[in-house]
Amino acid sequence: MSEVEASAKQASLADREARIDEALRRAEKSLLGLRHEDGYWCFELEADCTITAEYIMMMHFRGEVDGWLEKKIVGYLRQHQNEEGGWPLFFGGPSEISCSVKCYFALKLAGEDPELLHMAKARQLILAMGGAARSNVFTRIALALFEQLPWRGVPFIPVEIMLLPRWFPFHLSKVSYWSRTVMVPLFVLYSLKPKAANPRRVSIAELFTIPPYQEQDYFPVRSLLNKVILRIERLGRRLAPLIPGIVRRRAMRSAEAWLTERLNGVDGLGAIFPAMVNAWEALELLGYDAKSPHCRSAREALERLLVDRGEEAYCQPCVSPVWDTALACLALQYMDSPASRQAVKRGLDWILPRQLLEGPADWRESRPRLRPGGWPFQFGNGHYPDLDDTAAVAYAMVLSGDPAYQESIERAAEWLAGMQSRNGGFGAFDADCTCYYLNEIPFADHGALLDPPTSDVSARVLMFLSSLGEHRPEYEDTIESCIRFVLGEDEGGCWFGRWGTNYIYGTWSVLMALRAARFPSDHPCVRAAVLWLEGKQRSDGGWAESNETYSHPESRGEGKSSTTFQTAWALIGLMEAGALDSPSVEAGIEFLLRRQEAGGLWADPDFTAPGFPRVFYLKYHGYDKYFPLWAIAQYRKLKLEQGA
C-alpha cells in the first residue's frame, strides 16, 4: 500500500470514528432526555387494535361511556384498518378475524354507520373469513356478554373450577400467570352470565354467516385429545344444573378471595389489561359498589393504560418500566461517559427497592422454601415477578460494579436458580409450567395457556449467573443444565425467540449467554450462529424478521424491510460471538448510522415482539431507541480495546 493510499485509509477511518462518536453523543443525549424525573424509562407498549377495541366495549358493558375518549379511540381504530377492510395483529400483517370482529363491534358501539365504506369492507372481509362464529374464545366470550351469541358458544368455565384439587388434570397452578389472572374473573362472569348495558342496543348479527343461535360448530376439533376433551366438556355442561347451591356459593367466595388478594392496587390484577378489565367487571357482580376502594383502584388501573395522542387514543396491554430501564442501563453502560454512568446509577437505584423480597406470590406454590428475589415487569406486580426482567436487572447491577447492589444480586441469583425447571430451562414467571395437554382444552385455542421454559429467558438467566464469576459452586449445576437446555434448542445455528421477534432475537440472546459462559468463538454452535446471522443480512446492511415467522417458521430470519432494533440484535450477537471484524458488522453499523434521525435516535414502525405467538403482538417503543445505541456503543468500545 502506498503512502497516499495509507493516508487516505487513515483519514477514512478517522472520519468514521468521528461519525460514530457524533452519532453516540446525539443518541445518548436524546435517550437521557426521555427519562422520567425519578430516573427510570418507560416507553409506550402498543398492541394490536384488540385491546383498544375492548376499551370501548368495556365502557359500553357498564354503560359508562366517555364520549370524547371514545371519539379518539375511534380515530385510532380507523387509522389502523388496512386496505382490504380488516385489522392485523401487527403493522403490515394479514387481517385477523378476531381482531377485525372486535374492531368492527367497537366502531359500531361508538356509533359508526355500518353502511359507511370502511364498515362495509370490514363486514365483507369478516364474512369471507367465516364470520364472527370463527373468532377465538376471548372474542366469543365478549360477544356472549353482549348477547350476540349463546353461552354454549364459549368454553365451559364454571366458577366451581376454583374448588378442584391440585392433583386434578386442571388446576390454576398448572397454567401460566397470565392465564390464571384472566380466567378467575371469567369464571365469575361465565357463572353469573351478566348482560352488558349496551346503551345503544347495538347488534352485529350481520357478521354471522348463519344466525348465531343456530350455530353448532363453535369448537372445531383440533386433535384427538381435543375431541375427547370436548365430549367431556359437553357432559359437564349438561350436569352443571345439578351443582348444589352451597357448592356454587363456596366457589364464588374462593374466586372472590383469590381475586381481591391479587387486585394489585392501581397497577391492576396481574398488571395486564385483559385480567384487569375482567376483574373490574367481575367485582360488581360480586357485590362491590362502584365507589368501593377495590372498584376505584381497578378502574384507575385501566385508565392508567391509556395513551392520549391528541386526536387519537389507544390502550396499552400493560406498562414496561423495569424492563425498559434495565435495557436502557445495559445500553448506556457501553457508553461509559459521566452522564451515562450517572443515569445508570439513578436508573438502578430506582429499580433497587422494587425487588420483591417478601410477601405472597403464586410461584411459591411450587417452590415454598425458596426465598423471593425477583423484579416485576411493571411498576408493581407483587404476585408475579418476571425471571427475564430479574436476570436483566441483576446483570446490569453486576456490570455496574457497585457494591451497593451486591445483596440484591445475591437474592436475585438465589431466586432465579431456584426457579429452574426440570429440563434445565427457565420460563418467564413459573417453573415447570409444562402440562402441554392443557393446550387442548377449548379455552386454549390461542395456544398460550402455559409458560414453558424458552431459549431467550433461559439465555438471560444463564448470562447473569455466568457473570457472577467462576468460583460460585452453588450455581455450577444450574449453569451446566441450563447450557444443555439451550444447546438442545438450537435450530441449525439459530434459536426461537418467544418474547421478541423472532429467531434474530433468540439467537442474540443465546450468543450473549454463551459468551458470558465462556464459550470460545470457535465453538461449533457459535460458528454456526455467526454463519446464520451473516447469511440473513440484507443488501442494505440491516436485518429484518417479520412476525409472520411465528406462523411460517420456514421464513425465519426474513422480513420485508430492515429494522434498526433487529439489526442491533444481530450486531450484538455477532460481536458477542467474536465477529467484531466481520464485514457484516461493518455494514450493519453503517446501516444504523444512516438510519439515525435528526433528533439522535431511531424509529421503526414494526412490531417488535409477540405477546402470544400467532395470536397477540407488541411494539416496544423503546427497542428502536436503546438497542441501536447499545450496538454502536459496544462496537466502539470493542474497537478501542482492540487497538489499545
Side-chain angles (χ1 to χ4, degrees), residues 110-174:
E112 294 283 275
D113 186 341
E115 297 309 314
L116 291 173
L117 179 61
H118 68 284
M119 296 290 282
K121 288 177 68 176
R123 183 168 61 251
Q124 292 167 8
L125 179 71
I126 291 167
L127 291 172
M129 297 174 76
R134 301 283 78 79
S135 298
N136 63 25
V137 161
F138 291 118
T139 301
R140 295 205 306 275
I141 291 174
L143 295 181
L145 290 169
F146 277 84
E147 302 176 85
Q148 301 302 300
L149 55 75
W151 281 98
R152 60 180 170 78
V154 305
F156 179 58
I157 46 173
V159 72
E160 285 75 19
I161 290 174
M162 296 296 302
L163 304 179
L164 295 175
R166 187 178 174 83
W167 55 260
F168 198 77
F170 182 90
H171 188 267
L172 284 178
S173 65
K174 296 179 180 180

Side-chain angles (χ1 to χ4, degrees), residues 505-518:
Y505 180 90
T507 303
W508 153 69
S509 301
V510 169
L511 286 174
M512 282 199 70
L514 295 181
R515 173 66 178 274
R518 288 167 284 281

Side-chain angles (χ1 to χ4, degrees), residues 97-400:
I97 187 167
S98 297
C99 183
S100 298
V101 168
K102 281 188 174 178
C103 290
Y104 178 96
F105 192 21
L107 289 176
K108 194 172 180 184
L109 286 169
E112 294 283 275
D113 186 341
E115 297 309 314
L116 291 173
L117 179 61
H118 68 284
M119 296 290 282
K121 288 177 68 176
R123 183 168 61 251
Q124 292 167 8
L125 179 71
I126 291 167
L127 291 172
M129 297 174 76
R134 301 283 78 79
S135 298
N136 63 25
V137 161
F138 291 118
T139 301
R140 295 205 306 275
I141 291 174
L143 295 181
L145 290 169
F146 277 84
E147 302 176 85
Q148 301 302 300
L149 55 75
W151 281 98
R152 60 180 170 78
V154 305
F156 179 58
I157 46 173
V159 72
E160 285 75 19
I161 290 174
M162 296 296 302
L163 304 179
L164 295 175
R166 187 178 174 83
W167 55 260
F168 198 77
F170 182 90
H171 188 267
L172 284 178
S173 65
K174 296 179 180 180
V175 300
S176 66
Y177 118 74
W178 56 84
S179 298
R180 268 174 254 146
T181 55
V182 167
M183 292 175 80
V184 171
L186 280 182
F187 295 163
V188 175
L189 293 170
Y190 176 89
S191 299
L192 299 180
K193 296 179 174 56
K195 297 178 181 180
N198 194 3
R200 295 171 182 159
R201 313 312 304 163
V202 171
S203 168
I204 53 167
E206 68 271 18
L207 295 187
F208 292 85
T209 56
I210 61 175
Y213 284 81
Q214 295 178 18
E215 172 69 59
Q216 299 296 319
D217 189 27
Y218 284 110
F219 299 100
V221 175
R222 305 194 302 270
S223 67
L224 178 59
L225 178 58
N226 175 249
K227 183 177 182 179
V228 172
I229 293 174
L230 282 171
R231 290 181 176 177
I232 295 173
E233 189 208 43
R234 292 188 183 113
L235 176 62
R237 286 179 190 273
R238 287 196 291 270
L239 296 177
L242 302 179
I243 297 175
I246 190 172
V247 175
R248 169 60 55 90
R249 291 189 292 274
R250 182 185 169 199
M252 280 290 179
R253 288 195 298 271
S254 179
E256 179 182 0
W258 192 97
L259 182 65
T260 53
E261 179 188 329
R262 293 163 177 79
L263 275 178
N264 197 30
V266 294
D267 292 301
L269 176 63
I272 52 174
F273 176 86
M276 290 156 61
V277 69
N278 291 341
W280 185 64
E281 293 171 356
L283 284 171
E284 182 184 34
L285 299 177
L286 291 169
Y288 289 87
D289 183 85
K291 296 182 179 179
S292 68
H294 283 331
C295 286
R296 287 203 308 269
S297 63
R299 181 59 186 263
E300 183 178 346
L302 289 162
E303 292 172 348
R304 286 184 175 211
L305 294 177
L306 290 169
V307 175
D308 191 333
R309 292 177 171 172
E311 295 296 318
E312 297 177 355
Y314 77 92
C315 184
Q316 301 174 101
C318 61
V319 291
S320 53
V322 174
W323 184 240
D324 280 330
T325 303
L327 293 175
C329 286
L330 284 168
L332 290 169
Q333 281 173 327
Y334 282 98
M335 289 295 297
D336 199 28
S337 68
S340 284
R341 286 195 294 272
Q342 182 184 33
V344 169
K345 173 66 175 171
R346 287 199 67 204
L348 294 180
D349 283 350
W350 178 84
I351 290 176
L352 181 64
R354 285 162 176 78
Q355 189 173 24
L356 301 168
L357 301 175
E358 57 185 15
D362 284 9
W363 60 265
R364 297 184 109 170
E365 190 160 344
S366 64
R367 299 290 191 273
R369 296 181 182 86
L370 180 63
R371 289 201 304 170
W375 277 274
F377 177 79
Q378 305 91 345
F379 286 106
N381 198 6
H383 275 75
Y384 306 109
D386 185 322
L387 277 76
D388 211 0
D389 284 71
T390 299
V393 168
Y395 182 62
M397 288 180 170
V398 169
L399 294 186
S400 76

